[in-house]
């Protein structure tokens, strides 16, 4: 829409014991960002976590909503 507006997407999987089944943590993070200037931006994102601890246990899903104001300086 404008030069300062953007989107981002992140996806990560962590498996501490690769030789065992269903003990993974997955994180999916879609979001938007608006650059007010080169050194100031506002980010809004949704962090969706999924935890699996074993084949007989239920999945634990959590969602975090994040609003960040970022200032950078040299």
């Amino acid at each position: 829409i404008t030069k300062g507006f953007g989107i981002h997407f992140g996806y990560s999987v962590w498996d501490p014991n690769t030789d065992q089944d269903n003990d993974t943590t997955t994180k999916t993070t879609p979001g938007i960002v608006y650059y007010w200037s080169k050194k100031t931006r506002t980010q809004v994102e949704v962090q969706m976590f999924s935890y699996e601890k074993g084949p007989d246990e239920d999945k634990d899903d959590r969602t975090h909503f994040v609003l960040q104001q970022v200032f950078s300086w040299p």
Side-chain angles (χ1 to χ4, degrees):
I1 299 172
T2 66
K3 282 189 345 183
F5 178 76
I7 59 172
H8 64 271
F9 180 79
Y11 179 79
S12 64
V13 176
W14 182 59
D15 186 357
N17 302 315
T18 55
D19 57 341
Q20 296 177 3
D21 292 334
N22 298 327
D23 61 342
T24 60
T25 301
T26 304
K27 179 180 175 185
T28 306
T29 310
I32 58 173
V33 61
Y34 185 78
Y35 287 90
W36 300 95
S37 68
K38 287 183 179 182
K39 298 186 179 225
T40 306
R41 70 182 183 267
T42 302
Q43 295 181 185
V44 178
E45 64 187 26
V46 178
Q47 297 176 345
M48 296 172 282
F49 296 90
S50 177
Y51 303 99
E52 289 186 52
K53 299 197 181 191
D56 298 332
E57 296 182 30
D58 290 335
K59 234 170 33 169
D60 183 17
D61 295 325
R62 297 177 187 204
T63 302
H64 300 177
F65 297 93
V66 179
L67 171 63
Q68 300 179 52
Q69 182 64 46
V70 181
F71 301 100
S72 333
W73 60 90

